[in-house]
Amino acid sequence: MDLLRTVARPALAAPFIADGIDALARPKRHADKFERVQPWLEKAGVPPVLHSDAELLTRVSGAVSVAAGLGLATGRAPRTCATVLAVLNVPLALVNNPVWAVESQDERKEALSGLMRSAAVGAGLALSAVDREGRPSLAWRWNNRRRLREAIAAAQAQVRAEYEPVVPARTAAASR
């Protein structure tokens, strides 16, 4: 792993690890944030969640966030962990920065700024999710292997055609 990945992955994962640990230790604060935006989510079609379910959802989200964050930070399945964190980032960004739910202009600017920061982190996670560390994609490797097999088969056919002995018709008739 090169220096950039060694530094960038833990830096990208750190907020998710810290927030996940906080959600596991103190789920009530996170559940309260969720309950503030719950009426708007219900209007959008999300099923209602009881307070106890919100705390359980917070804990599960925190555990997933910690596990995926540690995986990304340590380089264990980094593409999968980055994908999980990118997907998890969307609802967290909406719950933590409810631009539509705040009323004062200053709070709206702060929520919008937080939403844009979350979008930037999500974009970084998306880039990390598609980073193959210089290795070719599975589709390229599949096509390359197919082309190599075809080239080997063509070369073998050419060698056989050039070096197989040609049996003259008289010799074949005489050998019978």
Side-chain angles (χ1 to χ4, degrees):
M1 187 168 14
D2 65 357
L3 182 62
L4 180 61
R5 286 183 186 92
T6 303
V7 173
R9 284 180 179 162
L12 192 55
F16 288 96
I17 296 168
D19 195 45
I21 290 171
D22 188 52
L24 285 169
R26 292 177 287 283
K28 182 159 178 35
R29 187 173 66 95
H30 295 271
D32 290 342
K33 283 183 184 180
F34 177 75
E35 286 181 350
R36 275 193 332 219
V37 298
Q38 187 175 1
W40 284 280
L41 294 175
E42 287 176 7
K43 286 179 187 176
V46 176
V49 178
L50 299 174
H51 183 71
S52 62
D53 290 341
E55 286 188 16
L56 177 64
L57 183 63
T58 298
R59 283 194 170 123
V60 169
S61 171
V64 169
S65 182
V66 169
L70 288 173
L72 180 63
T74 59
R76 302 282 180 171
R79 293 177 66 195
T80 303
C81 292
T83 302
V84 168
L85 289 175
V87 169
L88 188 62
N89 184 51
V90 173
L92 289 178
L94 294 175
V95 168
N96 290 332
N97 305 296
V99 176
W100 61 92
V102 295
E103 297 180 8
S104 75
Q105 192 67 14
D106 291 337
E107 287 177 344
R108 187 175 302 268
K109 284 181 183 178
E110 186 176 325
L112 187 59
S113 176
L115 192 61
M116 293 299 114
R117 272 193 300 278
S118 293
V121 168
L125 288 167
L127 282 174
S128 185
V130 298
D131 179 29
R132 292 188 300 268
E133 298 179 13
R135 285 182 252 136
S137 70
L138 186 61
W140 182 90
R141 288 185 285 177
W142 180 269
N143 288 330
N144 187 50
R145 175 125 169 105
R146 182 184 48 80
R147 283 192 304 267
L148 285 174
R149 282 193 314 253
E150 290 171 357
I152 289 170
Q156 287 174 341
Q158 182 182 3
V159 167
R160 276 193 213 106
E162 189 173 325
Y163 290 107
E164 280 186 349
V166 178
V167 180
R170 282 186 279 147
T171 313
S175 64
R176 289 186 185 173

